[in-house]
Amino acid sequence: MPPIPGSGLAKGLAVTLRTMTKKTVTEQYPEHQPELPPRTRGVIGLFEENCTVCMLCARECPDWCIYIDSHKETVPPAAPGGRERSRNVLDRFAIDFALCMYCGICIEVCPFDALFWSPEFEYAETDIHELTHERDKLREWMWTVPAPPALDPAAEEPKELTAARKTAEKLAAASAIAEADPKGEES
């Protein structure tokens, strides 16, 4: 059976008419801020105190948009007679958001939790060269990172906490015994 001439046009006009009669849902963005879902990927924040300059984030980045500079410092020995140690000190940490594809690999591979997703998304610039943000700006975004979701109440306690709790209980029991018998005499 051949199609009726003009049936496609009629269907298209019907869709247009249905769409025209619906209420619009446009949000006036600058006046009304959108409600973002929790854990939104906006921009990457840096918690500088946790960064050990291991360079893992820069090496794993597929776009090579993370720039890290550091120098070594000698740290005096912790105890007398010990040896001096050297540690890396962060000089520069920058992310070029013009290159970044927001994959999150840098955040996932960071072993010291120095990088986090912030829900901030308003960081547009008029010049593409200004999209390279240094550690000061990345640190500002760190304070907008939401708290992690609550743990499942039915989940097991982490083994590290269980071991620490057992050790604390043993120490508390030993100190209680020592306080009850201050001279160390057996009865």
Side-chain angles (χ1 to χ4, degrees):
M1 182 173 202
I4 302 171
S7 64
L9 178 64
K11 286 180 184 178
L13 289 173
V15 170
T16 304
L17 187 60
R18 249 182 298 158
T19 306
M20 285 176 52
T21 58
K22 289 184 180 177
K23 185 179 182 233
T24 60
V25 291
T26 304
E27 291 186 26
Q28 301 302 321
Y29 164 63
E31 292 83 29
H32 303 286
Q33 292 294 321
E35 278 192 39
L36 300 172
R39 313 305 292 169
T40 298
R41 288 184 176 193
V43 73
I44 298 169
L46 170 69
F47 190 55
E48 195 174 327
E49 287 77 15
N50 286 358
C51 184
T52 60
V53 196
C54 66
M55 305 277 197
L56 206 54
C57 55
R59 282 185 297 199
E60 295 296 324
C61 179
D63 290 332
W64 291 82
C65 64
I66 300 175
Y67 310 112
I68 301 174
D69 292 330
S70 68
H71 69 275
K72 289 200 182 275
E73 245 180 34
T74 304
V75 181
R83 67 181 181 96
E84 292 182 338
R85 306 235 179 231
S86 66
R87 69 180 183 103
N88 287 327
V89 178
L90 186 65
D91 292 329
R92 178 181 186 226
F93 193 104
I95 299 176
D96 187 353
F97 287 105
L99 295 175
C100 183
M101 64 181 184
Y102 303 91
C103 63
I105 292 174
C106 56
I107 296 169
E108 295 297 322
V109 301
C110 182
F112 301 104
D113 289 333
L115 298 172
F116 293 90
W117 282 116
S118 169
E120 290 294 315
F121 61 91
E122 296 174 322
Y123 55 95
E125 300 290 344
T126 56
D127 184 14
I128 195 167
H129 299 293
E130 294 175 8
L131 280 173
T132 301
H133 294 289
E134 299 292 332
R135 67 182 182 179
D136 300 333
K137 187 67 173 173
L138 299 176
R139 183 168 192 60
E140 285 177 28
W141 286 324
M142 185 61 211
W143 309 121
T144 63
V145 172
L151 296 175
D152 183 7
E156 289 182 18
E157 185 178 56
K159 61 184 177 189
E160 294 88 355
L161 289 179
T162 305
R165 184 170 289 113
K166 285 181 183 177
T167 304
E169 288 171 359
K170 287 180 185 177
L171 290 174
S175 65
I177 291 172
E179 287 177 9
D181 191 16
K183 296 180 182 177
E185 299 172 358
E186 292 185 21
S187 42

